[in-house]
Amino acid sequence: MKKVIIIRYAEMYLKGKNRGFFEQVFSTNIERALKGIRHELHRYSGRYLVEGFDGADADEIVGRLKKVFGIHSMSIALETSNDLKSIFEAAKAVSRSSGTFKVESHRADKRYPLTSMEISREVGGMLLSQFPALTVDVHNPSFYVYVDIRENGTALVFGEFFPGADGMPVGTAGKGVLLISGGIDSPVAGHMLAKRGMSVECLHFHSYPYTNLQAKEKVIELAKILSGYTLGKTLYTVSVTHIQEAIHEKCAPELMVTLLRRFMFRIAEKFALRIKAQCLITGESLGQVASQTIEGMTSSNSVVEKLPVLRPLVGFDKNEIIERAVKIGTYDISIQPYEDCCTVFLPDYPAIRPALKDIVEEEQKLDIPALLDEAFASIEKIEL
Ligand code: ATP
Ligand code: MG
């Protein structure tokens, strides 16, 4: 009797012709998540099976796989030969000793001498005589024992379903550049699109030395947590210090944030095209702060020439975003105090609805191509 892990997948069956591609990406992602743990991954009748691991690693494997998008649920099962005596030994190990229960059986091997109903009845009967405090309840049992007769002479016996992350395998829906700050929102935005199968590359703007190295450490920490889901390995950072200094020196102070954000989007698009990404992703939510009005979004969108800007949080309330941040494990890091580059040289009264024409006019005072070149020269690649 040895432990195996059954992996059931989520939406992939919807994908008709692409199915082969989806499954290949999916199994690659599972392998990446399990790196460093001895195991084998096999397909079996519309599921995957992790085998050949040390029984003590089972919980760690399930824990890691909980972050892999495309997994609907998992079970830690006992694999035995398919004779009733062995199945019963496994069922005993899976069962509780009291309460109401139901045995559910499934036969992939239709030559098996007993029907599913008969298997359930036999195993249920054996459990009842083993544990006197058990009773059968087929409608509303407090726990189940599942028996799965495979085609290869073995049976899988298990009792629990662990929920997976659902969604689509990362790498099946293109690639995006996430503008990641040290705040609460952007990691959640990245997580949401990774859940739909997008590969997410993280790009962070800093104003070192105005923003400190702790701020950078914080973003690295966030990117690391996010990489558990996105399977990304790098964080890119860009300095916008020189851009803020130029704006501070030459432009109307109330436009600092607006102008800076336009530079961020320009840099992000250029960077995205360079690494063959297909969109920008931000954590903006409508009306949350002055720069996130529809006018603010229009202003930053208008410098992005080729790519769509995806804002998965646009219709979310802050508390909905926080709820997600807590769930994915980024919240505690995000709320640590930190200086974003957007808070450097902040005017007392930022313009809330600046007219695009005024913004463009103000920008004429800057050497945009030179500022962009300098930003690109500052790009740093950090391995997570
Ligand atoms: P967050 O919690 O994600 O920081 P926020 O509520 O603080 O968001 P803003 O600071 O206005 O809002 O930022 C809006 C979005 O712009 C962020 O979600 C992020 O995508 C992007 N952004 C802001 N600052 C940076 C930065 N320093 N580097 C990269 N992207 C940034
Ligand atoms: Mg922020």
Side-chain angles (χ1 to χ4, degrees):
M1 209 155 63
K2 59 170 187 169
K3 278 186 188 172
V4 301
I5 292 167
I6 304 168
I7 299 176
R8 303 172 194 85
Y9 44 71
E11 275 183 53
M12 260 187 285
Y13 60 88
L14 291 176
K15 298 296 159 186
K17 265 199 216 149
N18 278 335
R19 189 173 166 146
F21 166 64
F22 275 71
E23 287 177 348
Q24 182 243 313
V25 174
F26 185 54
S27 53
T28 305
N29 292 352
I30 293 173
E31 295 289 9
R32 278 167 76 178
L34 297 184
K35 214 168 150 192
I37 301 180
R38 182 173 59 82
H39 73 280
E40 290 159 31
L41 181 66
H42 297 292
R43 295 223 40 197
Y44 105 93
S45 46
R47 297 165 210 185
Y48 285 84
L49 214 54
V50 186
E51 299 177 86
F53 53 87
D54 184 337
D57 287 336
D59 291 336
E60 169 73 16
I61 292 176
V62 169
R64 290 200 198 177
L65 293 182
K66 275 187 178 169
K67 292 184 178 170
V68 176
F69 291 122
I71 294 181
H72 178 62
S73 71
M74 292 167 279
S75 296
I76 300 175
L78 293 171
E79 186 184 72
T80 68
S81 57
N82 67 10
D83 59 282
L84 271 183
K85 188 168 172 297
S86 307
I87 292 173
F88 173 57
E89 284 307 313
K92 218 164 62 177
V94 162
S95 177
R96 299 178 201 163
S97 57
S98 64
T100 58
F101 79 109
K102 178 183 181 181
V103 180
E104 273 202 0
S105 305
H106 172 263
R107 288 186 312 168
D109 179 3
K110 300 297 177 199
R111 297 158 307 174
Y112 193 73
L114 302 181
T115 65
S116 301
M117 289 285 276
E118 287 165 343
I119 300 165
S120 298
R121 205 178 310 130
E122 289 293 325
V123 174
M126 291 182 199
L127 286 175
L128 284 173
S129 52
Q130 177 75 30
F131 301 113
L134 283 183
T135 47
V136 172
D137 181 346
V138 292
H139 299 296
N140 193 20
S142 57
F143 72 95
Y144 285 86
V145 173
Y146 299 92
V147 179
D148 201 345
I149 307 285
R150 297 176 70 191
E151 276 164 332
N152 65 355
T154 67
L156 301 179
V157 181
F158 56 95
E160 258 188 287
F161 283 72
F162 301 101
D166 280 323
M168 311 285 274
V170 171
T172 58
K175 179 155 89 171
V177 167
L178 171 67
L179 285 73
I180 187 170
S181 67
I184 296 168
D185 308 331
S186 39
V188 176
H191 177 268
M192 281 179 77
L193 288 182
K195 181 168 184 178
R196 297 308 304 159
M198 185 169 275
S199 297
V200 175
E201 296 287 348
C202 292
L203 180 67
H204 174 67
F205 301 99
H206 65 83
S207 309
Y208 185 76
Y210 299 108
T211 55
N212 59 26
L213 287 176
Q214 263 162 289
K216 184 173 167 182
E217 285 305 314
K218 184 182 176 189
V219 176
I220 293 174
E221 205 50 46
L222 286 174
K224 264 189 196 158
I225 297 173
L226 195 58
S227 73
Y229 302 92
T230 63
L231 307 170
K233 293 196 195 79
T234 43
L235 163 70
Y236 296 88
T237 64
V238 187
S239 171
V240 289
T241 310
H242 61 291
I243 296 176
Q244 286 182 283
E245 286 170 343
I247 297 172
H248 183 62
E249 189 187 322
K250 298 190 173 132
C251 304
E254 68 273 16
L255 288 181
M256 169 56 84
V257 175
T258 308
L259 294 176
L260 176 62
R261 292 192 67 77
R262 282 163 65 88
F263 273 97
M264 286 183 173
F265 278 72
R266 285 188 182 101
I267 296 166
E269 184 184 36
K270 258 184 114 176
F271 174 75
L273 291 169
R274 189 186 275 192
I275 65 165
K276 298 197 163 51
Q278 297 142 300
C279 65
L280 307 183
I281 306 163
T282 78
E284 289 162 294
S285 150
L286 186 63
Q288 197 188 82
V289 292
S291 61
Q292 297 180 26
T293 55
I294 188 62
E295 290 84 358
M297 292 182 195
T298 304
S299 146
S300 29
N301 267 22
S302 69
V303 296
V304 182
E305 290 169 358
K306 298 197 172 107
L307 301 181
V309 180
L310 303 186
R311 298 176 167 91
L313 307 181
V314 74
F316 279 25
D317 290 344
K318 193 74 186 187
N319 53 14
E320 293 172 298
I321 300 170
I322 289 174
E323 220 172 86
R324 283 171 186 255
V326 170
K327 248 192 215 154
I328 66 179
T330 51
Y331 182 71
D332 288 340
I333 310 280
S334 290
I335 56 171
Q336 287 166 20
Y338 123 106
E339 281 251 314
D340 192 18
C341 60
C342 293
T343 58
V344 177
F345 298 124
L346 208 59
D348 294 341
Y349 299 102
I352 294 178
R353 294 191 170 78
L356 196 53
K357 136 179 150 331
D358 297 337
I359 298 167
V360 173
E361 208 176 283
E362 202 64 15
E363 257 173 12
Q364 300 305 309
K365 300 176 183 167
L366 302 167
D367 183 349
I368 296 173
L371 290 171
L372 291 178
D373 284 348
E374 197 176 336
F376 266 80
S378 77
I379 291 184
E380 221 187 305
K381 184 176 177 180
I382 298 169
E383 303 292 336
L384 298 171

